[in-house]
Structures are given as C-alpha cells and as structure tokens.
Amino acid sequence: MTTSVTSGAPSTPTPAVNSRGRVIVASLIGTSIEFYDFYAYATAASLVFPALFFPNQDGTTALLASFAAFGVAFVARPVGSVLFGHFGDRVGRKATLVASLLTMGVATVVIGLIPAATTPGWAVLAPLVLVLCRFCQGLGLGGEWGGAALLATENAPAGKRAVWGTFPQLGAPIGFILANLVFIGLSQSLTEAQFTSWGWRVPFLASAVLVIVGLWVRLKLIETPAFTKVVEEEAVAKVPVAEVFRTSWRKVVSGTFIMLATYGLFYLMTTFTLNYGIATTEPTDGSPAGLGYEKIDFLWMLIVGCVFFGLFTLASGPLAERYGRRPMLLVVTGGIAVFGLLFVPLFAAGTVGVMSLLILGFTLMGLTFGPMAALLPELFPANVRYTGASVSYNLASILGAAVAPFIAVWLWEAVDSPVLVGVYLAVMAVITFVALWLQKETRDVDFSGDIRA
C-alpha cells in the first residue's frame, strides 16, 4: 500500500494584483472622462460661453472673461492635488481616485444646468456658478492625474513604468477627440439658435453616463503594491504635503518646471489655435484678425492633429525606456522651442501649413506628455508620491496652462499676429530645457523600495 505524504510547510498565498487589462482600463477610462469633461468646457468657452455668460462685453473682452473662468480650474488644481494627495498617501490610491472622479463629474453636470446670464435674476449668479463649477472641476482633476499615474506605474513590471505610464496619458487625446466629436455632431444636427440655446448642454449632461462607467471600473480595483508596502512598513506620512515640502521641495520645483512646456504647448494647440483659426480675417468689432475657417472645419483639423497626439503618446513610452526620460525629453523640448518660432510661417502657408502646424504640434505634445506619468512619480518616495507628483503636475498647470490662453489672446491682439504667441511658447520650452538639464535621470530609481521621505 502506498501512503501519500503532504508537506507540512504552509503555503504562501499569492498576493492579489491588478491585471494589466484592469490597470489599462481603469487608468485610461478615468482620465478620458476627466479630460472629456475638461475639454468640453474648453470648446464651449471658445464657441458659446462668451455670449451666454458674458453678454454685455465686446467680443475680445467676453472671450477673455470666458478664458479667465477657464483658468479658475487651473488655480484649483494645486488645491485638489494637496487635498486628494493627502488622502491618496494616507488612505490609498483606489478610494481617492473614486472621489476625484465624482468631484469632477458632478461639477460638469451642474455646468450643463446653469441658466444663461440673460435669464432674469441670473445676470450675476450665472457666471458665479460657472466659476464655482470650474473650481470644482479643477479640484477633481487636481487629484485625478496623480492617482491614475500611480495606478499605472506602481503596478508596472520592472523596466515598463514609462510604457504603462502612457495608459493614463492617452486619456488626454481620447477625451479631446470625444468631446469635439460630440460638439461637431450637435453643431451639424442643430441650428445655430438651437445649439446656443440648449445643444451645448448635452456634452456636459451626457458625462454623467461616463462617470458611472468610470466608477464601476475603479471600484473593482485593489490597492497598488507600493502603497500596501507603505502601510505594512508603517511609513504612512501624517501630513503628506508638509512632508513632501520638508524633504523634497527641490523635486517639486524641478517637476513643476519640467511640465511647463508640456502644458503651454497643449493649451496653445487646443484653445488658441481654435480661436485664431475660426476668427474672421476682417473683424469689425475690434478683435484681432484670424484665419477665417468655419468652426466645424477647424474642429476636424484639430481632431486629425490629436490622432497624432495619441499615436506619439504611445510611442513615447518605449523611447523613454530605451533612451531614458531625461535625454529623450531634452530633444523633444528643444523641438518645442523651434516649433514656437515656426508659428507665423506655418499659419501663413494656407491649409497645408496650418494642418502641418497642428500635426507637428500634437506630435511633440505626445512625445513630451507620455513620459510624464513615469518621470514625475519617480521623483518621490512612495509615502508622499501621490502628493509630490500631483503638486508638481498641477503647479505647472497654473504657470503653463491657466494663463496661456489669456496671454496668447493678449499677445495676438497686441500685434494682430501669432508671432509673439510662438515666442511665448519658445520661452517656456527654454525654461523646461534648463529644468531637465539640471535634473538627474530617474529611469533606474528604486521605485518600489523607496517608501519613506
């Protein structure tokens, strides 16, 4: 008779992990929804909000007021990065990502319900509620990016952080394309009066469905291995924002200026080019002259350009792994500086030139934006990583994005030409180049082992 012998050694349970597919979907869908919401406002700010919420101003002043409200969200984003970063570093990445998505989603739906300023009793209240909702949108997005970036990179295999980090970054081009396709569909199916009256509200109200889908996906996540290790080692920071500025303030400054050109490029490519592209060539209200394209035609051109944004975001991950974050971004940032000096000749070269400008600009955008989800988290230890990466990313949003559309319109109006706008972009690129030059390479940092600030 044969007796079977079973080893008495206890088996070690395999720790639960998020699958690659779950990480891709959760990080991608969340940022896609967030950026869809954000771009829906950016498009409406260019097309209808000046007349709806600032009807008593002339054309340029109303546009500037609309972009000032747009900029409020960027001021809120660092606040959101501190708020959500605090809970992301203390409670966990998963719960914080759910909260940031809800904050952004509710604010977006409310925007779709605000009466126009011409409605009796809403002359002052309407723009105030709009600004409040913009602040809440910024608050949510301030916590969203850092959490999505950590979800991807803290679950990534060795040598794949930059590749997996492109998952949340893809949310930017996807959200932009989706928001503009919705606006194009509405503009083509509705009359101008219908679109101005109620059609513009549809993208904001429809985002409620997207938020529900995003919440369903994120609630299925488990906590990242890096944060789990922080908890096990009892290394949770009591006040993450205080800890990150006490121990890593130089890296916060470095990360902020490394992101500067990326932000400036993107918001010039999406907001300024749209306004310049559709502005009449012979304005009669004192506004600066533009290219005179039809709104729908130029939105299609932007969508084509944004496809290159997505493609080169994907390409940036393997490049950043092969050559390193710093060397790759130094080359791309130099390209952004040169690109800024090409604004006038490309804009003046007809449709081929304008389309070339959009494709080149969005290609550079993908190459510079893609590696950021790996680089910024790599600057910080795991117990303050959510806060550190988020604060750097969102401080850059004030310097590079909140003021960019406003300054661009002012520079455009000052000389009735985009020449100074291109110079403005080139200057931001030079600042980022210096910040990158001073920063050490982060590809080989001990990402999982470094848990204490």
Side-chain angles (χ1 to χ4, degrees):
M1 185 173 73
T2 303
T3 304
S4 63
V5 179
T6 303
S7 171
S11 61
T12 302
T14 303
V17 295
N18 292 305
S19 67
R20 183 175 186 269
R22 184 178 295 176
V23 171
I24 292 174
V25 173
S27 61
L28 177 60
I29 195 170
T31 50
S32 295
I33 293 169
E34 299 282 3
F35 279 102
Y36 164 85
D37 291 348
F38 223 65
Y39 301 152
Y41 182 95
T43 304
S46 299
L47 302 180
V48 296
F49 281 2
L52 287 173
F53 295 106
F54 309 100
N56 298 322
Q57 310 294 331
D58 62 52
T60 299
T61 304
L63 181 61
L64 290 174
S66 182
F67 278 140
F70 180 76
V72 166
F74 293 100
V75 176
R77 285 171 70 159
V79 180
S81 68
V82 172
L83 174 64
F84 290 104
H86 177 85
F87 292 105
D89 283 326
R90 287 192 56 79
V91 178
R93 313 328 191 195
K94 173 185 172 178
T96 306
L97 275 169
V98 170
S100 69
L101 183 61
L102 274 174
T103 302
M104 181 81 172
V106 170
T108 303
V109 172
V110 172
I111 287 176
L113 300 172
I114 303 173
T118 52
T119 304
W122 284 86
V124 175
L125 193 57
L128 287 178
V129 175
L130 178 68
V131 169
L132 177 61
C133 288
R134 283 298 292 161
F135 185 87
C136 291
Q137 277 191 317
L139 205 67
L141 192 54
E144 166 62 28
W145 180 86
L150 297 194
L151 172 64
T153 57
E154 289 186 345
N155 281 290
K160 296 290 185 181
R161 282 197 303 269
V163 175
W164 282 45
T166 61
F167 302 157
Q169 305 302 73
L170 277 175
I174 289 174
F176 178 85
I177 291 172
L178 182 59
N180 281 286
L181 285 175
V182 171
F183 269 96
I184 287 174
L186 290 169
S187 298
Q188 291 184 327
S189 60
L190 302 176
T191 65
E192 189 72 25
Q194 289 173 326
F195 181 80
T196 303
S197 175
W198 59 268
W200 66 269
R201 300 180 184 275
V202 174
F204 296 95
L205 299 177
S207 69
V209 177
L210 300 177
V211 171
I212 292 171
V213 174
L215 289 174
W216 177 76
V217 173
R218 287 187 169 182
L219 287 170
K220 290 180 173 293
L221 292 171
I222 60 174
E223 194 52 74
T224 69
F227 183 75
T228 300
K229 187 174 182 180
V230 169
V231 174
E232 291 173 348
E233 296 290 330
E234 298 182 349
V236 176
K238 291 183 178 180
V239 185
V241 67
E243 190 72 9
V244 80
F245 277 103
R246 183 181 68 83
T247 62
S248 306
W249 67 268
R250 289 181 179 85
K251 293 181 178 180
V252 172
V253 173
S254 178
T256 298
F257 286 108
I258 285 172
M259 274 295 302
L260 183 67
T262 303
Y263 262 123
L265 174 63
F266 182 70
Y267 285 95
L268 290 180
M269 292 303 300
T270 54
T271 58
F272 171 75
T273 58
L274 177 60
N275 281 281
Y276 184 65
I278 66 175
T280 180
T281 56
E282 297 180 0
T284 58
D285 62 352
S287 301
L291 298 177
Y293 284 90
E294 291 295 326
K295 175 179 64 180
I296 300 301
D297 293 340
F298 203 85
L299 284 176
W300 277 117
M301 294 168 71
L302 283 172
I303 287 173
V304 171
C306 213
V307 170
F308 286 83
F309 180 11
L311 292 174
F312 281 89
T313 296
L314 283 174
S316 71
L319 290 172
E321 289 295 354
R322 180 173 181 180
Y323 298 106
R325 288 62 157 144
R326 181 176 175 270
M328 176 197 165
L329 287 171
L330 282 170
V331 173
V332 175
T333 304
I336 294 172
V338 174
F339 172 70
L341 303 180
L342 297 177
F343 263 37
V344 170
L346 288 175
F347 272 131
T351 299
V352 172
V354 175
M355 198 67 249
S356 297
L357 179 140
L358 294 176
I359 290 174
L360 180 56
F362 278 116
T363 295
L364 289 168
M365 183 62 209
L367 291 172
T368 185
F369 188 57
M372 292 300 174
L375 190 156
L376 294 186
E378 287 168 351
L379 295 175
F380 303 95
N383 67 331
V384 293
R385 187 173 289 151
Y386 200 129
T387 301
S390 296
V391 169
S392 298
Y393 181 85
N394 291 293
L395 282 177
S397 77
I398 294 180
L399 300 177
V403 297
F406 191 89
I407 291 176
V409 171
W410 179 71
L411 292 172
W412 169 30
E413 185 180 33
V415 296
D416 201 19
S417 165
V419 60
L420 293 182
V421 179
V423 172
Y424 171 57
L425 175 60
V427 169
M428 285 193 285
V430 170
I431 295 171
T432 289
F433 190 92
V434 173
L436 284 165
W437 187 265
L438 296 175
Q439 175 61 48
K440 294 180 180 179
E441 176 58 49
T442 60
R443 177 178 55 182
D444 299 321
V445 299
D446 185 7
F447 197 65
S448 59
D450 186 8
I451 63 172
R452 293 178 185 268

